[in-house]
Amino acid sequence: MEELTPQQKRTLSEVFRDKREAFSSEIYTGIKLLENVRKIPEAQVTFLSLRQRMLEENHTLIEHFTNLKKSYREKKGEEWIEASKSHQVRFNSNEKTTIVDGKTAQLKEKLEQVENQINFYSDSIKTIDAVLFGIKTRIDVQKLLDGH
């Protein structure tokens, strides 16, 4: 298998952005289905399927997030020891913190990106739940409009 060039590699933020756009588009499409009361069963299937996929992705991300947090804590500890022992100059606590933060910044950024994606999934799942709950109201409104 060929190795990807830097231009071919997608950043984590690009992957997450694309996933957010795709899921948001699916939510919007599902909401548009609710305009026609005859398409409500299709909308329900769409939303239930989407909710399940988002739950699965969210739980996978939570597992990765846990592992990434562990790696971050370990790296931070290693860098603290390095800053404490491996330099001829003695650093105070604030200086060590600055050094450690600088050396672990990339890992912390990944951690924050994964956490933001987890929050997006959680909020989107709440939106889907609200839409599914609102379907009964949508049917009741249609009945009123139809004079039933």
Side-chain angles (χ1 to χ4, degrees), residues 22-59:
F23 280 124
S24 293
S25 175
E26 285 186 64
I27 290 170
Y28 179 75
T29 301
I31 289 171
K32 292 298 281 178
L33 286 174
L34 296 176
E35 289 177 351
N36 182 343
V37 79
R38 290 182 177 11
K39 293 193 176 188
I40 285 179
E42 182 183 346
Q44 285 177 306
V45 170
T46 297
F47 280 119
L48 289 171
S49 170
L50 179 59
R51 186 182 194 286
Q52 185 60 36
R53 286 185 288 131
M54 292 186 90
L55 272 175
E56 290 168 7
E57 283 207 31
N58 199 33
H59 285 286

Side-chain angles (χ1 to χ4, degrees), residues 7-23:
Q7 292 82 15
Q8 292 171 316
K9 290 182 181 177
R10 292 177 43 194
T11 66
L12 190 59
S13 62
E14 290 171 333
V15 171
F16 284 165
R17 182 191 62 234
D18 291 348
K19 285 183 178 272
R20 285 190 304 271
E21 287 173 1
F23 280 124

Side-chain angles (χ1 to χ4, degrees), residues 13-130:
S13 62
E14 290 171 333
V15 171
F16 284 165
R17 182 191 62 234
D18 291 348
K19 285 183 178 272
R20 285 190 304 271
E21 287 173 1
F23 280 124
S24 293
S25 175
E26 285 186 64
I27 290 170
Y28 179 75
T29 301
I31 289 171
K32 292 298 281 178
L33 286 174
L34 296 176
E35 289 177 351
N36 182 343
V37 79
R38 290 182 177 11
K39 293 193 176 188
I40 285 179
E42 182 183 346
Q44 285 177 306
V45 170
T46 297
F47 280 119
L48 289 171
S49 170
L50 179 59
R51 186 182 194 286
Q52 185 60 36
R53 286 185 288 131
M54 292 186 90
L55 272 175
E56 290 168 7
E57 283 207 31
N58 199 33
H59 285 286
T60 299
L61 266 183
I62 290 169
E63 289 174 17
H64 290 301
F65 182 68
T66 301
N67 292 333
L68 201 54
K69 274 196 326 191
K70 180 182 176 209
S71 297
Y72 175 68
R73 285 190 306 270
E74 289 171 353
K75 179 76 170 160
K76 212 167 173 178
E78 291 167 7
E79 293 299 338
W80 186 269
I81 291 169
E82 174 75 18
S84 299
K85 293 184 176 180
S86 299
H87 298 282
Q88 292 194 3
V89 177
R90 303 227 1 132
F91 296 112
N92 68 33
S93 183
N94 288 339
E95 292 168 326
K96 286 179 196 173
T97 299
T98 302
I99 291 168
V100 169
D101 287 349
K103 291 188 174 196
T104 59
Q106 197 171 19
L107 198 51
K108 184 169 173 69
E109 180 184 9
K110 276 186 186 176
L111 197 60
E112 290 170 354
Q113 289 172 332
V114 171
E115 187 174 27
N116 288 339
Q117 191 72 6
I118 288 169
N119 290 335
F120 169 79
Y121 285 140
S122 295
D123 290 344
S124 295
I125 289 166
K126 288 177 189 172
T127 298
I128 290 169
D129 288 344

